[in-house]
Amino acid sequence: SCYYSIKTNLNMIKTDAVIIGAGPVGLFAVHQLGIAGLKAEVIDNLDKAGGQCIELYPDKPIYDIPAIPVCTGEELTKNLLKQIEPFKTNFHFNERVQEVSSKNNKWVVKTNKNKTFISPNIIIAGGVGSFEPRKLSLKEAEKHEGKSIFYSVNDKSKFKGKKISIFGGGDSALDWALELSKISNVTLIHRRDEFRGASNTLNEIKKLEKTGKLTMKTKYQLSAIEGDKNIESITIKNDEEKKIKIETDYILSFFGLIMKLGPIAEWGLNMDKKNISINTENFETNKKGIFAIGDICTYPGKLRLILSGFHEAALASVECFKRARPNEKYKFQFTTSSKEIQERLGYKPK
C-alpha cells in the first residue's frame, strides 16, 4: 500500500510522507525520501521555503555546511531547492497543521485551509516551532485581519490606488513602503527614529518623502482603529500623547516573527520543554510514523546544527520507506553507484 502524492479530491491528498516545515532540514528530508522513491508534501506556515535561514538571516554567512566554505541562508535554500527539483515536490505555503489523527494505520493531517493529507509518515522539521507574525495588540485589529489588516503581501495589486499605513522599521516594512509607493498612497509609521532595515532602501524612502510621494511618521505607535466593516482611519500617538488621525484603507504590519509550537504540543508526543524527544535509531517519536528532526527534536548529545538535521533526515527516511513500502525490502544504496537513484535525480547512468 504505497502512495505517490495523489489528489483524491480538491482537498484530500494521499502521499508517502507529510513534512511539516520547509527549512533546510525539511528540504533535505524531501531529497532523502526522493532518492528512496518516496513522494512528500511539504507544509509551512511561512510564504516561502527556507525557514529561519530566509526569515532571520538570509544574508548572514553560514560556515559549517560540509564542502561549502561559506554561504548565506538564501544561497543554501536555493541550492537545496535546486537539489530536489527532480522530485517535483508540492509545497503548501501560508498553511498550518491544525489537527493530526490516525485512521487505518495512516495519519490524517488537517490544515487551517481545510486540506486533508493521508500518509503513513509525518516528519516534523519545524525548527523550534512555526513562525507566526507578531500581531497588532489592539483588540479591534482582530476583526479586520485578513480583510483590511495584513502581516504579509501576496498580491500587491489589491492595494493599487488605496491609502496604506505601514508599520515597522525592518526590511519588510521599508521594502513594501518603497514598492507600494509606486501604486498607492503610503504612510510609513515607526516607533523609533532609527530603522533596522537596509540603509540604501531607507535613503530611497527619504527621497520619496521629500518629493511628497510618501509620508513618514516616526516615534509614533498605533493607538486606535476606526471603522466597522472596513477600516476608515487610524489614530497614532507618540510618547507625549500627541495624536494624529490618518485616513486609511489598509494596514500592513511588519513587527517581525515569533516562534510558537502551536498545535504540535497537543499531539500526545513526548515533550521536553518545547522540544520533542525521539529515538535516535530512526528519529521516530513515541507515536509510530511521526518523526521529529532538526532543532525541534532532542536527545542526549543533541547539537542544534543544520548538518545534524541533515543526518537526522537521512535516518528518518529509512523508517519512512519501511512504513510506506511494507511489502518491499529497503536497499541501502550509494548515489555514486546506484543507477536507480541517478535516474530518479535526472541523470543518465553511463
Side-chain angles (χ1 to χ4, degrees), residues 221-244:
Q221 297 188 58
L222 183 63
S223 174
I225 298 171
E226 293 86 25
D228 186 18
K229 288 186 179 179
N230 300 306
I231 294 176
E232 295 170 4
S233 64
I234 61 170
T235 300
I236 58 174
K237 69 177 181 180
N238 62 12
D239 292 341
E240 284 77 45
E241 297 295 320
K242 179 185 175 183
K243 294 184 178 182
I244 300 175

Side-chain angles (χ1 to χ4, degrees), residues 31-273:
H31 180 270
Q32 291 298 288
L33 293 167
I35 62 175
L38 302 184
K39 186 74 176 175
E41 300 278 326
V42 183
I43 304 168
D44 199 290
N45 204 39
L46 294 175
D47 60 356
K48 55 187 173 296
Q52 293 183 55
C53 279
I54 288 295
E55 291 300 323
L56 301 184
Y57 45 91
D59 300 319
K60 185 178 176 182
I62 304 171
Y63 298 100
D64 57 359
I65 304 299
I68 302 174
V70 61
C71 68
T72 64
E74 185 175 16
E75 288 167 344
L76 177 62
T77 301
K78 284 181 177 177
N79 284 336
L80 286 164
L81 286 169
K82 187 174 182 180
Q83 190 177 34
I84 63 173
E85 274 180 6
F87 307 124
K88 297 179 171 57
T89 307
N90 297 319
F91 288 89
H92 306 267
F93 294 122
N94 290 313
E95 202 151 348
R96 174 174 168 167
V97 174
Q98 294 288 81
E99 184 185 324
V100 169
S101 58
S102 61
K103 186 178 181 181
N104 300 327
N105 203 32
K106 301 289 187 294
W107 290 107
V108 180
V109 178
K110 294 183 179 180
T111 73
N112 62 334
K113 292 193 176 176
N114 297 318
K115 286 181 193 168
T116 299
F117 299 82
I118 298 174
S119 176
N121 301 298
I122 298 172
I123 298 178
I124 304 170
V128 285
S130 63
F131 287 96
E132 296 182 11
R134 198 180 296 277
K135 295 189 175 183
L136 294 169
S137 57
L138 289 183
K139 190 176 180 181
E140 57 262 41
E142 207 171 298
K143 67 179 181 181
H144 295 293
E145 287 176 1
K147 300 171 188 173
S148 304
I149 295 176
F150 297 94
Y151 299 99
S152 64
V153 178
N154 296 323
D155 178 15
K156 67 179 182 181
S157 65
K158 75 164 62 178
F159 304 115
K160 188 174 183 179
K162 301 295 184 180
K163 300 181 184 75
I164 316 295
S165 291
I166 298 178
F167 288 85
D171 284 317
S172 294
L174 294 180
D175 288 345
W176 281 115
L178 190 61
E179 183 64 24
L180 291 176
S181 67
K182 300 171 187 175
I183 60 170
S184 312
N185 183 339
V186 172
T187 302
L188 177 61
I189 303 151
H190 185 40
R191 59 190 173 187
R192 300 188 183 94
D193 277 332
E194 301 80 25
F195 287 80
R196 302 185 315 279
S199 57
N200 59 323
T201 311
L202 182 59
N203 290 335
E204 290 298 313
I205 286 174
K206 286 180 177 177
K207 288 178 187 176
L208 290 176
E209 185 188 24
K210 286 179 180 178
T211 58
K213 294 180 180 177
L214 180 147
T215 303
M216 282 178 67
K217 298 290 182 186
T218 57
K219 292 190 174 181
Y220 279 90
Q221 297 188 58
L222 183 63
S223 174
I225 298 171
E226 293 86 25
D228 186 18
K229 288 186 179 179
N230 300 306
I231 294 176
E232 295 170 4
S233 64
I234 61 170
T235 300
I236 58 174
K237 69 177 181 180
N238 62 12
D239 292 341
E240 284 77 45
E241 297 295 320
K242 179 185 175 183
K243 294 184 178 182
I244 300 175
K245 194 168 186 173
I246 302 170
E247 287 187 13
T248 300
D249 297 309
Y250 293 102
I251 293 174
L252 295 178
S253 178
F254 300 108
F255 290 142
L257 300 165
I258 53 176
M259 286 176 279
K260 287 187 175 180
L261 200 56
I264 291 173
E266 300 162 12
W267 294 354
L269 303 175
N270 284 345
M271 306 293 296
D272 181 359
K273 296 179 181 176

Side-chain angles (χ1 to χ4, degrees), residues 225 298 338 343:
I225 298 171
T298 187
S338 169
E343 286 173 354

